Amino acid sequence: MWHRLSTPLKVGISAGGLGILLTLIGIFRGNVPPTPASIGMALLIGGGVWFLVAWAVASAALDVENDTQGESN
């Protein structure tokens, strides 16, 4: 299934996973209050923001690459 995903989506998922990992490290180090709502929000923000930003940058880079390929012909 991984090979069927677009490149920007792969980049976003990878970055989101890294964001969740770093958030988990922060949770275990005590930087997040130990309530389920706080932990869930931290994971959502940590993984979601990293995913969204990485996906947007990768999509923009792919669009620029596709545009420049079309102009060179």
Short mmCIF file of all heavy atoms in Angstrom, two decimals:
data_model
loop_
_atom_site.label_atom_id
_atom_site.label_comp_id
_atom_site.label_asym_id
_atom_site.label_seq_id
_atom_site.Cartn_x
_atom_site.Cartn_y
_atom_site.Cartn_z
N MET A 1 0.82 -1.19 0.00
CA MET A 1 0.00 0.00 0.00
C MET A 1 0.87 1.27 0.00
O MET A 1 0.48 2.27 -0.57
CB MET A 1 -0.91 -0.02 1.22
CG MET A 1 -1.85 1.17 1.26
SD MET A 1 -3.07 1.03 2.53
CE MET A 1 -2.48 2.22 3.68
N TRP A 2 2.03 1.22 0.64
CA TRP A 2 2.91 2.39 0.74
C TRP A 2 3.31 2.89 -0.65
O TRP A 2 3.38 4.09 -0.88
CB TRP A 2 4.13 2.01 1.57
CG TRP A 2 5.11 3.13 1.78
CD1 TRP A 2 6.29 3.28 1.15
CD2 TRP A 2 4.98 4.25 2.67
NE1 TRP A 2 6.93 4.42 1.59
CE2 TRP A 2 6.14 5.03 2.53
CE3 TRP A 2 4.02 4.66 3.57
CZ2 TRP A 2 6.36 6.19 3.25
CZ3 TRP A 2 4.24 5.82 4.28
CH2 TRP A 2 5.38 6.57 4.13
N HIS A 3 3.57 1.97 -1.59
CA HIS A 3 4.01 2.38 -2.92
C HIS A 3 2.91 3.04 -3.74
O HIS A 3 3.19 3.69 -4.73
CB HIS A 3 4.59 1.18 -3.68
CG HIS A 3 3.59 0.12 -4.00
ND1 HIS A 3 3.18 -0.81 -3.07
CD2 HIS A 3 2.90 -0.14 -5.13
CE1 HIS A 3 2.29 -1.61 -3.64
NE2 HIS A 3 2.10 -1.22 -4.88
N ARG A 4 1.67 2.91 -3.32
CA ARG A 4 0.55 3.53 -4.04
C ARG A 4 0.31 4.98 -3.62
O ARG A 4 -0.43 5.70 -4.28
CB ARG A 4 -0.73 2.72 -3.82
CG ARG A 4 -0.59 1.28 -4.31
CD ARG A 4 -1.80 0.50 -4.00
NE ARG A 4 -2.74 0.65 -5.12
CZ ARG A 4 -3.96 0.18 -5.12
NH1 ARG A 4 -4.43 -0.45 -4.07
NH2 ARG A 4 -4.73 0.35 -6.17
N LEU A 5 0.92 5.40 -2.53
CA LEU A 5 0.74 6.77 -2.04
C LEU A 5 1.60 7.73 -2.84
O LEU A 5 2.66 7.38 -3.34
CB LEU A 5 1.13 6.85 -0.56
CG LEU A 5 0.32 5.99 0.42
CD1 LEU A 5 0.90 6.12 1.82
CD2 LEU A 5 -1.14 6.37 0.41
N SER A 6 1.14 8.97 -2.92
CA SER A 6 1.93 9.99 -3.61
C SER A 6 3.14 10.37 -2.76
O SER A 6 3.16 10.17 -1.54
CB SER A 6 1.07 11.23 -3.88
OG SER A 6 0.73 11.86 -2.65
N THR A 7 4.13 10.94 -3.40
CA THR A 7 5.36 11.33 -2.69
C THR A 7 5.09 12.35 -1.59
O THR A 7 5.59 12.20 -0.48
CB THR A 7 6.40 11.86 -3.69
OG1 THR A 7 6.69 10.82 -4.64
CG2 THR A 7 7.68 12.27 -2.98
N PRO A 8 4.29 13.41 -1.83
CA PRO A 8 4.02 14.35 -0.74
C PRO A 8 3.33 13.69 0.46
O PRO A 8 3.62 14.03 1.60
CB PRO A 8 3.11 15.41 -1.38
CG PRO A 8 3.45 15.37 -2.82
CD PRO A 8 3.75 13.92 -3.11
N LEU A 9 2.46 12.73 0.19
CA LEU A 9 1.79 12.05 1.29
C LEU A 9 2.77 11.18 2.07
O LEU A 9 2.71 11.13 3.31
CB LEU A 9 0.64 11.20 0.74
CG LEU A 9 -0.42 10.75 1.73
CD1 LEU A 9 -1.00 11.93 2.48
CD2 LEU A 9 -1.52 10.01 1.00
N LYS A 10 3.69 10.54 1.38
CA LYS A 10 4.73 9.75 2.06
C LYS A 10 5.59 10.65 2.95
O LYS A 10 5.92 10.29 4.08
CB LYS A 10 5.61 9.03 1.05
CG LYS A 10 4.95 7.89 0.33
CD LYS A 10 5.91 7.30 -0.69
CE LYS A 10 5.22 6.32 -1.59
NZ LYS A 10 6.12 5.80 -2.63
N VAL A 11 5.96 11.81 2.42
CA VAL A 11 6.77 12.75 3.19
C VAL A 11 6.00 13.22 4.42
O VAL A 11 6.53 13.28 5.52
CB VAL A 11 7.21 13.95 2.32
CG1 VAL A 11 7.85 15.04 3.15
CG2 VAL A 11 8.15 13.48 1.22
N GLY A 12 4.72 13.55 4.23
CA GLY A 12 3.89 14.01 5.34
C GLY A 12 3.71 12.96 6.41
O GLY A 12 3.80 13.25 7.61
N ILE A 13 3.47 11.72 6.01
CA ILE A 13 3.30 10.64 6.98
C ILE A 13 4.59 10.40 7.75
O ILE A 13 4.57 10.20 8.98
CB ILE A 13 2.80 9.36 6.28
CG1 ILE A 13 1.36 9.56 5.81
CG2 ILE A 13 2.91 8.15 7.19
CD1 ILE A 13 0.83 8.46 4.91
N SER A 14 5.70 10.44 7.06
CA SER A 14 7.00 10.24 7.72
C SER A 14 7.26 11.36 8.74
O SER A 14 7.68 11.10 9.87
CB SER A 14 8.12 10.20 6.70
OG SER A 14 7.94 9.13 5.81
N ALA A 15 7.01 12.59 8.34
CA ALA A 15 7.24 13.71 9.24
C ALA A 15 6.25 13.69 10.40
O ALA A 15 6.60 14.00 11.55
CB ALA A 15 7.13 15.03 8.49
N GLY A 16 5.00 13.31 10.13
CA GLY A 16 4.01 13.19 11.20
C GLY A 16 4.40 12.13 12.21
O GLY A 16 4.24 12.31 13.42
N GLY A 17 4.92 11.01 11.71
CA GLY A 17 5.39 9.97 12.62
C GLY A 17 6.54 10.45 13.48
O GLY A 17 6.60 10.15 14.68
N LEU A 18 7.45 11.20 12.89
CA LEU A 18 8.56 11.77 13.65
C LEU A 18 8.04 12.76 14.69
O LEU A 18 8.52 12.79 15.83
CB LEU A 18 9.55 12.46 12.71
CG LEU A 18 10.78 13.09 13.36
CD1 LEU A 18 11.60 12.03 14.09
CD2 LEU A 18 11.61 13.78 12.31
N GLY A 19 7.05 13.57 14.31
CA GLY A 19 6.45 14.51 15.26
C GLY A 19 5.79 13.80 16.43
O GLY A 19 5.91 14.23 17.58
N ILE A 20 5.11 12.68 16.16
CA ILE A 20 4.49 11.91 17.24
C ILE A 20 5.57 11.31 18.14
O ILE A 20 5.43 11.31 19.37
CB ILE A 20 3.56 10.83 16.65
CG1 ILE A 20 2.31 11.49 16.08
CG2 ILE A 20 3.19 9.79 17.71
CD1 ILE A 20 1.39 10.55 15.34
N LEU A 21 6.64 10.80 17.53
CA LEU A 21 7.74 10.23 18.33
C LEU A 21 8.34 11.28 19.25
O LEU A 21 8.55 11.04 20.45
CB LEU A 21 8.81 9.66 17.41
CG LEU A 21 10.06 9.11 18.10
CD1 LEU A 21 9.72 7.88 18.92
CD2 LEU A 21 11.13 8.80 17.07
N LEU A 22 8.61 12.46 18.72
CA LEU A 22 9.18 13.53 19.55
C LEU A 22 8.19 13.99 20.62
O LEU A 22 8.60 14.32 21.74
CB LEU A 22 9.60 14.70 18.66
CG LEU A 22 10.80 14.42 17.75
CD1 LEU A 22 11.00 15.59 16.79
CD2 LEU A 22 12.04 14.16 18.56
N THR A 23 6.91 13.98 20.30
CA THR A 23 5.89 14.33 21.30
C THR A 23 5.86 13.30 22.41
O THR A 23 5.74 13.65 23.59
CB THR A 23 4.51 14.46 20.63
OG1 THR A 23 4.57 15.45 19.60
CG2 THR A 23 3.45 14.86 21.64
N LEU A 24 5.96 12.02 22.05
CA LEU A 24 5.99 10.96 23.07
C LEU A 24 7.20 11.12 23.99
O LEU A 24 7.09 10.93 25.21
CB LEU A 24 6.00 9.58 22.41
CG LEU A 24 4.69 9.14 21.78
CD1 LEU A 24 4.90 7.85 20.98
CD2 LEU A 24 3.62 8.95 22.84
N ILE A 25 8.33 11.48 23.42
CA ILE A 25 9.52 11.73 24.25
C ILE A 25 9.25 12.87 25.22
O ILE A 25 9.58 12.79 26.40
CB ILE A 25 10.75 12.02 23.36
CG1 ILE A 25 11.15 10.75 22.61
CG2 ILE A 25 11.92 12.56 24.20
CD1 ILE A 25 12.19 10.97 21.52
N GLY A 26 8.61 13.92 24.73
CA GLY A 26 8.26 15.04 25.60
C GLY A 26 7.28 14.66 26.69
O GLY A 26 7.38 15.12 27.83
N ILE A 27 6.33 13.79 26.35
CA ILE A 27 5.37 13.33 27.35
C ILE A 27 6.08 12.54 28.44
O ILE A 27 5.83 12.75 29.64
CB ILE A 27 4.26 12.48 26.68
CG1 ILE A 27 3.36 13.37 25.81
CG2 ILE A 27 3.43 11.73 27.72
CD1 ILE A 27 2.42 12.60 24.90
N PHE A 28 6.96 11.63 28.05
CA PHE A 28 7.66 10.81 29.04
C PHE A 28 8.64 11.63 29.87
O PHE A 28 8.96 11.25 30.99
CB PHE A 28 8.38 9.64 28.36
CG PHE A 28 7.43 8.57 27.90
CD1 PHE A 28 7.39 8.21 26.57
CD2 PHE A 28 6.55 7.96 28.78
CE1 PHE A 28 6.50 7.23 26.13
CE2 PHE A 28 5.67 6.98 28.36
CZ PHE A 28 5.64 6.62 27.03
N ARG A 29 9.11 12.74 29.32
CA ARG A 29 10.01 13.61 30.10
C ARG A 29 9.24 14.54 31.03
O ARG A 29 9.84 15.29 31.79
CB ARG A 29 10.88 14.42 29.15
CG ARG A 29 11.87 13.54 28.40
CD ARG A 29 12.81 14.33 27.59
NE ARG A 29 13.71 15.06 28.50
CZ ARG A 29 14.65 15.86 28.10
NH1 ARG A 29 14.83 16.07 26.82
NH2 ARG A 29 15.42 16.48 28.96
N GLY A 30 7.91 14.51 30.96
CA GLY A 30 7.10 15.29 31.89
C GLY A 30 6.73 16.68 31.41
O GLY A 30 6.33 17.53 32.20
N ASN A 31 6.84 16.95 30.12
CA ASN A 31 6.53 18.27 29.59
C ASN A 31 5.05 18.46 29.28
O ASN A 31 4.64 19.55 28.89
CB ASN A 31 7.35 18.55 28.33
CG ASN A 31 8.82 18.61 28.62
OD1 ASN A 31 9.23 19.03 29.69
ND2 ASN A 31 9.64 18.16 27.68
N VAL A 32 4.26 17.40 29.43
CA VAL A 32 2.82 17.46 29.16
C VAL A 32 2.10 16.97 30.41
O VAL A 32 2.50 15.96 30.99
CB VAL A 32 2.45 16.56 27.95
CG1 VAL A 32 0.96 16.53 27.72
CG2 VAL A 32 3.17 17.03 26.70
N PRO A 33 1.05 17.66 30.84
CA PRO A 33 0.30 17.18 32.01
C PRO A 33 -0.23 15.76 31.76
O PRO A 33 -0.66 15.45 30.66
CB PRO A 33 -0.86 18.18 32.14
CG PRO A 33 -0.39 19.40 31.44
CD PRO A 33 0.52 18.93 30.34
N PRO A 34 -0.20 14.91 32.78
CA PRO A 34 -0.56 13.49 32.59
C PRO A 34 -2.07 13.23 32.56
O PRO A 34 -2.57 12.34 33.23
CB PRO A 34 0.11 12.81 33.78
CG PRO A 34 0.12 13.85 34.84
CD PRO A 34 0.32 15.15 34.11
N THR A 35 -2.80 14.01 31.80
CA THR A 35 -4.23 13.76 31.63
C THR A 35 -4.47 13.28 30.21
O THR A 35 -3.75 13.69 29.28
CB THR A 35 -5.05 15.04 31.89
OG1 THR A 35 -4.67 16.03 30.95
CG2 THR A 35 -4.81 15.58 33.30
N PRO A 36 -5.46 12.41 30.01
CA PRO A 36 -5.71 11.89 28.65
C PRO A 36 -5.97 13.00 27.62
O PRO A 36 -5.50 12.90 26.49
CB PRO A 36 -6.94 11.00 28.83
CG PRO A 36 -6.90 10.58 30.26
CD PRO A 36 -6.32 11.76 31.00
N ALA A 37 -6.69 14.03 28.01
CA ALA A 37 -6.98 15.11 27.07
C ALA A 37 -5.71 15.85 26.66
O ALA A 37 -5.51 16.16 25.47
CB ALA A 37 -7.98 16.09 27.68
N SER A 38 -4.84 16.11 27.61
CA SER A 38 -3.58 16.82 27.31
C SER A 38 -2.67 15.97 26.44
O SER A 38 -2.06 16.47 25.49
CB SER A 38 -2.86 17.18 28.60
OG SER A 38 -3.61 18.09 29.35
N ILE A 39 -2.59 14.68 26.75
CA ILE A 39 -1.74 13.79 25.96
C ILE A 39 -2.29 13.66 24.54
O ILE A 39 -1.54 13.74 23.57
CB ILE A 39 -1.63 12.41 26.66
CG1 ILE A 39 -0.81 12.57 27.94
CG2 ILE A 39 -1.00 11.39 25.72
CD1 ILE A 39 -0.80 11.33 28.82
N GLY A 40 -3.60 13.49 24.41
CA GLY A 40 -4.21 13.39 23.08
C GLY A 40 -4.02 14.65 22.26
O GLY A 40 -3.70 14.58 21.07
N MET A 41 -4.20 15.80 22.89
CA MET A 41 -4.01 17.07 22.18
C MET A 41 -2.55 17.26 21.77
O MET A 41 -2.28 17.72 20.66
CB MET A 41 -4.47 18.24 23.07
CG MET A 41 -4.48 19.56 22.34
SD MET A 41 -5.55 19.63 20.90
CE MET A 41 -7.15 19.42 21.64
N ALA A 42 -1.63 16.89 22.65
CA ALA A 42 -0.21 17.02 22.31
C ALA A 42 0.14 16.12 21.11
O ALA A 42 0.84 16.55 20.20
CB ALA A 42 0.65 16.65 23.52
N LEU A 43 -0.37 14.89 21.10
CA LEU A 43 -0.10 13.99 19.98
C LEU A 43 -0.74 14.50 18.69
O LEU A 43 -0.14 14.43 17.63
CB LEU A 43 -0.60 12.58 20.31
CG LEU A 43 0.19 11.83 21.37
CD1 LEU A 43 -0.54 10.56 21.76
CD2 LEU A 43 1.59 11.53 20.90
N LEU A 44 -1.95 15.02 18.80
CA LEU A 44 -2.64 15.55 17.62
C LEU A 44 -1.90 16.76 17.05
O LEU A 44 -1.67 16.84 15.84
CB LEU A 44 -4.08 15.93 17.97
CG LEU A 44 -4.93 16.47 16.84
CD1 LEU A 44 -5.16 15.38 15.80
CD2 LEU A 44 -6.26 16.96 17.37
N ILE A 45 -1.51 17.65 17.92
CA ILE A 45 -0.80 18.85 17.45
C ILE A 45 0.59 18.47 16.93
O ILE A 45 1.00 18.90 15.84
CB ILE A 45 -0.70 19.90 18.57
CG1 ILE A 45 -2.07 20.47 18.87
CG2 ILE A 45 0.28 21.01 18.20
CD1 ILE A 45 -2.14 21.34 20.09
N GLY A 46 1.32 17.66 17.70
CA GLY A 46 2.68 17.29 17.30
C GLY A 46 2.72 16.55 15.97
O GLY A 46 3.46 16.92 15.06
N GLY A 47 1.91 15.52 15.82
CA GLY A 47 1.90 14.76 14.58
C GLY A 47 1.20 15.48 13.45
O GLY A 47 1.65 15.47 12.31
N GLY A 48 0.10 16.14 13.77
CA GLY A 48 -0.70 16.81 12.74
C GLY A 48 0.00 17.98 12.09
O GLY A 48 -0.02 18.13 10.87
N VAL A 49 0.63 18.80 12.90
CA VAL A 49 1.31 19.98 12.35
C VAL A 49 2.52 19.55 11.51
O VAL A 49 2.73 20.06 10.40
CB VAL A 49 1.71 20.96 13.47
CG1 VAL A 49 2.63 22.04 12.96
CG2 VAL A 49 0.46 21.57 14.09
N TRP A 50 3.28 18.61 12.01
CA TRP A 50 4.44 18.14 11.25
C TRP A 50 3.98 17.52 9.93
O TRP A 50 4.59 17.74 8.88
CB TRP A 50 5.23 17.10 12.05
CG TRP A 50 6.18 17.69 13.04
CD1 TRP A 50 5.88 18.51 14.08
CD2 TRP A 50 7.58 17.48 13.11
NE1 TRP A 50 7.00 18.81 14.79
CE2 TRP A 50 8.06 18.18 14.21
CE3 TRP A 50 8.47 16.73 12.34
CZ2 TRP A 50 9.40 18.19 14.56
CZ3 TRP A 50 9.80 16.73 12.70
CH2 TRP A 50 10.26 17.46 13.79
N PHE A 51 2.90 16.74 9.97
CA PHE A 51 2.36 16.14 8.76
C PHE A 51 1.94 17.21 7.77
O PHE A 51 2.31 17.19 6.60
CB PHE A 51 1.16 15.23 9.06
CG PHE A 51 0.39 14.84 7.84
CD1 PHE A 51 0.82 13.79 7.04
CD2 PHE A 51 -0.75 15.53 7.46
CE1 PHE A 51 0.13 13.43 5.90
CE2 PHE A 51 -1.45 15.19 6.32
CZ PHE A 51 -1.00 14.13 5.53
N LEU A 52 1.14 18.16 8.23
CA LEU A 52 0.58 19.18 7.35
C LEU A 52 1.66 20.05 6.70
O LEU A 52 1.63 20.29 5.49
CB LEU A 52 -0.40 20.06 8.12
CG LEU A 52 -1.21 21.05 7.31
CD1 LEU A 52 -2.08 20.32 6.30
CD2 LEU A 52 -2.07 21.91 8.21
N VAL A 53 2.62 20.49 7.48
CA VAL A 53 3.67 21.35 6.94
C VAL A 53 4.55 20.59 5.95
O VAL A 53 4.83 21.08 4.85
CB VAL A 53 4.52 21.96 8.08
CG1 VAL A 53 5.76 22.65 7.53
CG2 VAL A 53 3.69 22.93 8.90
N ALA A 54 4.94 19.36 6.30
CA ALA A 54 5.79 18.58 5.40
C ALA A 54 5.04 18.24 4.12
O ALA A 54 5.61 18.30 3.03
CB ALA A 54 6.25 17.31 6.10
N TRP A 55 3.77 17.88 4.23
CA TRP A 55 2.97 17.56 3.04
C TRP A 55 2.84 18.79 2.14
O TRP A 55 2.98 18.70 0.92
CB TRP A 55 1.59 17.06 3.47
CG TRP A 55 0.65 16.94 2.33
CD1 TRP A 55 0.57 15.91 1.44
CD2 TRP A 55 -0.33 17.90 1.92
NE1 TRP A 55 -0.42 16.18 0.50
CE2 TRP A 55 -0.98 17.39 0.79
CE3 TRP A 55 -0.71 19.15 2.43
CZ2 TRP A 55 -1.99 18.09 0.14
CZ3 TRP A 55 -1.72 19.82 1.78
CH2 TRP A 55 -2.34 19.30 0.65
N ALA A 56 2.58 19.96 2.74
CA ALA A 56 2.41 21.18 1.95
C ALA A 56 3.71 21.56 1.22
O ALA A 56 3.68 21.92 0.04
CB ALA A 56 1.95 22.33 2.86
N VAL A 57 4.82 21.47 1.90
CA VAL A 57 6.11 21.81 1.27
C VAL A 57 6.43 20.82 0.16
O VAL A 57 6.86 21.22 -0.94
CB VAL A 57 7.23 21.86 2.33
CG1 VAL A 57 8.60 21.96 1.68
CG2 VAL A 57 7.01 23.01 3.29
N ALA A 58 6.21 19.53 0.41
CA ALA A 58 6.49 18.52 -0.62
C ALA A 58 5.56 18.68 -1.82
O ALA A 58 5.98 18.52 -2.96
CB ALA A 58 6.37 17.12 -0.03
N SER A 59 4.30 19.02 -1.57
CA SER A 59 3.36 19.24 -2.68
C SER A 59 3.77 20.45 -3.51
O SER A 59 3.72 20.41 -4.74
CB SER A 59 1.95 19.45 -2.14
OG SER A 59 1.45 18.27 -1.55
N ALA A 60 4.16 21.53 -2.83
CA ALA A 60 4.60 22.72 -3.55
C ALA A 60 5.86 22.44 -4.36
O ALA A 60 5.97 22.88 -5.52
CB ALA A 60 4.85 23.87 -2.57
N ALA A 61 6.79 21.70 -3.79
CA ALA A 61 8.02 21.37 -4.51
C ALA A 61 7.70 20.52 -5.74
O ALA A 61 8.29 20.72 -6.81
CB ALA A 61 8.99 20.65 -3.59
N LEU A 62 6.79 19.58 -5.60
CA LEU A 62 6.41 18.73 -6.72
C LEU A 62 5.71 19.55 -7.81
O LEU A 62 5.97 19.35 -9.00
CB LEU A 62 5.51 17.59 -6.25
CG LEU A 62 5.20 16.51 -7.26
CD1 LEU A 62 6.48 15.79 -7.68
CD2 LEU A 62 4.21 15.52 -6.68
N ASP A 63 4.86 20.49 -7.41
CA ASP A 63 4.20 21.36 -8.39
C ASP A 63 5.22 22.21 -9.16
O ASP A 63 5.11 22.36 -10.37
CB ASP A 63 3.18 22.27 -7.70
CG ASP A 63 1.93 21.53 -7.28
OD1 ASP A 63 1.71 20.39 -7.74
OD2 ASP A 63 1.16 22.10 -6.47
N VAL A 64 6.18 22.77 -8.44
CA VAL A 64 7.21 23.57 -9.09
C VAL A 64 8.02 22.71 -10.05
O VAL A 64 8.32 23.12 -11.18
CB VAL A 64 8.12 24.25 -8.05
CG1 VAL A 64 9.36 24.85 -8.69
CG2 VAL A 64 7.35 25.30 -7.28
N GLU A 65 8.37 21.51 -9.62
CA GLU A 65 9.12 20.59 -10.48
C GLU A 65 8.33 20.26 -11.74
O GLU A 65 8.89 20.26 -12.84
CB GLU A 65 9.47 19.31 -9.71
CG GLU A 65 10.28 18.32 -10.49
CD GLU A 65 11.68 18.80 -10.81
OE1 GLU A 65 12.21 19.64 -10.06
OE2 GLU A 65 12.26 18.33 -11.80
N ASN A 66 7.04 19.99 -11.57
CA ASN A 66 6.21 19.69 -12.74
C ASN A 66 6.07 20.90 -13.67
O ASN A 66 6.06 20.75 -14.89
CB ASN A 66 4.83 19.20 -12.30
CG ASN A 66 4.88 17.82 -11.68
OD1 ASN A 66 5.81 17.05 -11.91
ND2 ASN A 66 3.90 17.51 -10.87
N ASP A 67 5.97 22.09 -13.09
CA ASP A 67 5.87 23.30 -13.91
C ASP A 67 7.15 23.56 -14.70
O ASP A 67 7.10 23.95 -15.86
CB ASP A 67 5.56 24.51 -13.04
CG ASP A 67 4.11 24.52 -12.56
OD1 ASP A 67 3.30 23.72 -13.08
OD2 ASP A 67 3.81 25.31 -11.64
N THR A 68 8.30 23.35 -14.07
CA THR A 68 9.55 23.60 -14.76
C THR A 68 9.81 22.54 -15.82
O THR A 68 10.44 22.84 -16.84
CB THR A 68 10.73 23.66 -13.80
OG1 THR A 68 10.82 22.45 -13.06
CG2 THR A 68 10.60 24.82 -12.84
N GLN A 69 9.33 21.32 -15.64
CA GLN A 69 9.47 20.29 -16.66
C GLN A 69 8.65 20.65 -17.89
O GLN A 69 9.08 20.40 -19.01
CB GLN A 69 9.01 18.93 -16.10
CG GLN A 69 9.90 18.35 -15.05
CD GLN A 69 11.26 17.98 -15.58
OE1 GLN A 69 11.39 17.56 -16.72
NE2 GLN A 69 12.27 18.15 -14.76
N GLY A 70 7.48 21.24 -17.69
CA GLY A 70 6.63 21.62 -18.80
C GLY A 70 7.19 22.79 -19.59
O GLY A 70 6.99 22.89 -20.79
N GLU A 71 7.89 23.70 -18.93
CA GLU A 71 8.45 24.88 -19.60
C GLU A 71 9.67 24.55 -20.44
O GLU A 71 9.97 25.24 -21.39
CB GLU A 71 8.81 25.94 -18.56
CG GLU A 71 7.60 26.56 -17.89
CD GLU A 71 8.00 27.55 -16.81
OE1 GLU A 71 9.20 27.83 -16.67
OE2 GLU A 71 7.10 28.03 -16.10
N SER A 72 10.39 23.49 -20.09
CA SER A 72 11.63 23.20 -20.80
C SER A 72 11.36 22.54 -22.16
O SER A 72 12.24 22.47 -22.99
CB SER A 72 12.53 22.29 -19.96
OG SER A 72 11.91 21.04 -19.76
N ASN A 73 10.16 22.06 -22.36
CA ASN A 73 9.82 21.40 -23.65
C ASN A 73 9.51 22.38 -24.72
O ASN A 73 9.07 23.39 -24.71
CB ASN A 73 8.64 20.45 -23.47
CG ASN A 73 9.05 19.24 -22.65
OD1 ASN A 73 10.22 18.87 -22.62
ND2 ASN A 73 8.09 18.65 -21.99
#
